[in-house]
């Protein structure tokens, strides 16, 4: 197994965990969306700041499924570099899009199917050319990497951007521009992955006999991960409740993956352990994945047939537009065509 396509045993373990994570997370998007819609029918929608979904069992089932997937993803980061694990999240897009097609009636166009195929090809390319995991012997070593000037600068820029988005852009444009909610999730997510990887390494070393829980750095990483994940979940719920799942899932993936790879390159210097051919091949694989997600996004509302058209933005599973330009809900497609 160690010699298979140059992958180490740790990379293979990380690969298997990442694949299982994608299946659970992809399914969780659909279950949570059903729970959010059911809760919104009898209470204040999450998209406008409500929390009635907390009383909905279906949402909790989806949340549990996502937690299982995130645990598998968490473990994957302990064995493999982020540049291998994170892009495999594209598979959760495929699962989410396919399930949304059958369960939520968010139709998947033929070009969406092509987009799914491109995501698979791109993911395979990255898997076969991913770097080996960096050898780390203590959580203190991770802390030293995290406190280098380059990564501190990146972290400061991320926190400043998140602050501006939450304070200024969310109140004004959160209900009409999907990039606002997803921007917060993706920026915070790039930091949370670095914390998750640090924590995963600490636990891996602890289970192997080198206790890392005695170091304060480990607990700082735990606090960072908890804070980032809570922030991500809050704004991801808002995005899912406000916009079409077929929009949220791919855009979130593209932004989150791009920023996470950038953060990993800065902090763990993944590309220092690769030759130019591997780096270029990985970038081609990533661009292929981006092309696939772009197709999924651009064709999300297309309808097959001679009179193919694009449906209005933010159309829910019952065929109603969620919000108009002023945030007024429930305009039917018939009234839109009549106007």
């Amino acid at each position: 197994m160690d010699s298979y396509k140059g992958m180490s045993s740790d990379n293979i373990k990380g690969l298997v965990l990442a694949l299982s994570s994608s299946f659970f997370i992809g399914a969780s998007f659909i279950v949570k969306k059903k729970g959010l819609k059911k809760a919104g029918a009898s209470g204040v929608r999450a998209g406008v700041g409500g929390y009635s979904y907390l009383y909905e069992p279906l949402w909790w089932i989806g949340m549990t499924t996502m937690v299982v997937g995130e645990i598998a993803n968490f473990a994957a980061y302990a064995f493999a570099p982020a540049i291998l694990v994170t892009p495999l999240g594209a598979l959760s897009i495929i699962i989410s899009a396919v399930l949304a097609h059958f369960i939520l009636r968010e139709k998947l166009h033929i070009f969406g199917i092509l987009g799914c195929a491109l995501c698979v090809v791109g993911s395979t390319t990255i898997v076969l050319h991913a770097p080996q995991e960096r050898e780390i012997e203590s959580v203190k070593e991770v802390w030293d990497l995290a406190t280098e000037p380059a990564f501190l600068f990146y972290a400061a820029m991320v926190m400043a951007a998140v602050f501006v988005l939450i304070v200024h852009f969310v109140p004004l444009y959160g209900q009409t521009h999907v990039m606002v909610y997803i921007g917060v999730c993706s920026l915070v997510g790039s930091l949370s992955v670095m914390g998750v990887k640090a924590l995963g390494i600490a636990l891996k070393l602890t289970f192997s006999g080198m206790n890392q829980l005695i170091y304060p750095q480990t607990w700082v990483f735990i606090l960072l991960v908890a804070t980032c994940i809570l922030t991500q979940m809050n704004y991801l719920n808002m995005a899912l409740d406000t916009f079409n799942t077929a929009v949220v899932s791919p855009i979130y993936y593209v932004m989150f993956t791009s920023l996470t790879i950038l953060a990993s390159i800065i902090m763990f210097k993944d590309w220092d352990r690769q030759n130019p051919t591997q780096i270029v091949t990985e970038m081609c694989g990533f661009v292929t994945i981006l092309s696939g997600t772009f197709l999924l996004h651009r064709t999300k509302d297309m309808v097959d047939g001679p009179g193919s058209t694009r449906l209005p933005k933010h159309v829910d599973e019952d065929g109603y537009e969620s919000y108009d330009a002023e945030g007024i809900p429930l305009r039917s497609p018939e009234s839109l065509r009549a106007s």
Side-chain angles (χ1 to χ4, degrees):
M1 293 178 67
D2 288 345
S3 62
Y4 177 71
K5 296 296 184 180
M7 292 183 68
S8 67
S9 60
D10 275 358
N11 272 19
I12 293 175
K13 292 175 185 176
L15 171 62
V16 172
L17 287 166
L19 290 175
S20 63
S21 170
S22 293
F23 280 102
F24 281 109
I25 292 175
S28 76
F29 272 98
I30 306 306
V31 180
K32 287 177 65 181
K33 181 69 176 280
K34 292 289 288 185
L36 287 168
K37 284 189 170 293
K38 188 175 180 181
S42 58
V44 181
R45 297 171 62 97
V48 292
Y51 294 93
S52 59
Y53 61 86
L54 293 175
Y55 300 98
E56 176 53 51
L58 194 58
W59 183 86
W60 282 107
I61 292 174
M63 191 63 186
T64 301
T65 306
M66 176 169 279
V67 168
V68 172
E70 292 295 350
I71 290 174
N73 198 48
F74 175 92
Y77 282 112
F79 292 99
I83 202 170
L84 166 62
V85 175
T86 307
L88 291 179
L91 299 180
S92 67
I93 296 176
I94 297 174
I95 295 166
S96 178
V98 171
L99 291 178
H101 176 81
F102 291 106
I103 298 175
L104 299 181
R105 288 182 287 171
E106 296 175 1
K107 299 302 180 182
L108 185 62
H109 191 267
I110 184 64
F111 290 110
I113 297 174
L114 176 60
C116 291
L118 287 174
C119 288
V120 172
V121 171
S123 297
T124 303
T125 302
I126 290 177
V127 165
L128 297 180
H129 297 85
Q132 303 299 323
E133 174 69 327
R134 181 180 184 135
E135 293 293 333
I136 295 179
E137 300 180 354
S138 170
V139 72
K140 288 184 175 181
E141 188 176 341
V142 183
W143 181 261
D144 291 339
L145 293 171
T147 53
E148 288 185 356
F151 187 75
L152 287 177
F153 177 76
Y154 172 80
M157 293 295 292
V158 165
M159 289 187 287
V162 168
F163 178 79
V164 172
L165 283 172
I166 292 176
V167 172
H168 179 70
F169 288 96
V170 165
L172 294 177
Y173 307 109
Q175 292 294 306
T176 55
H177 294 73
V178 67
M179 298 296 290
V180 177
Y181 289 146
I182 295 180
V184 175
C185 295
S186 302
L187 287 165
V188 173
S190 68
L191 295 182
S192 71
V193 168
M194 297 303 101
V196 163
K197 184 159 183 67
L199 187 56
I201 291 172
L203 293 177
K204 177 184 174 183
L205 292 172
T206 298
F207 292 144
S208 67
M210 295 178 285
N211 187 9
Q212 303 296 303
L213 299 179
I214 60 175
Y215 299 114
Q217 290 91 337
T218 300
W219 296 100
V220 172
F221 284 127
I222 291 175
L223 180 62
L224 170 67
V225 169
T227 302
C228 289
I229 288 178
L230 288 174
T231 303
Q232 280 179 266
M233 288 301 99
N234 183 50
Y235 286 96
L236 183 57
N237 281 332
M238 291 183 178
L240 281 172
D241 190 56
T242 306
F243 302 96
N244 193 307
T245 307
V247 180
V248 173
S249 185
I251 296 179
Y252 177 52
Y253 166 78
V254 171
M255 290 187 65
F256 171 71
T257 303
S258 301
L259 290 169
T260 298
I261 290 176
L262 175 61
S264 182
I265 291 171
I266 295 172
M267 181 171 169
F268 289 97
K269 303 175 179 60
D270 293 323
W271 282 354
D272 288 354
R273 305 187 297 282
Q274 293 188 284
N275 59 48
T277 301
Q278 288 176 300
I279 294 174
V280 171
T281 304
E282 286 173 3
M283 293 305 297
C284 288
F286 185 53
V287 170
T288 302
I289 296 174
L290 295 186
S291 301
T293 56
F294 176 79
L295 273 178
L296 281 169
H297 170 54
R298 294 296 296 175
T299 63
K300 66 185 183 299
D301 295 327
M302 292 182 68
V303 180
D304 289 317
S308 296
T309 58
R310 294 180 65 86
L311 296 174
K313 290 184 179 180
H314 316 325
V315 173
D316 68 20
E317 64 181 23
D318 297 316
Y320 293 98
E321 189 181 32
S322 298
Y323 300 94
D324 67 6
E326 298 179 355
I328 302 174
L330 303 182
R331 285 187 66 198
S332 67
E334 288 75 14
S335 65
L336 289 170
R337 284 194 292 268
S339 62

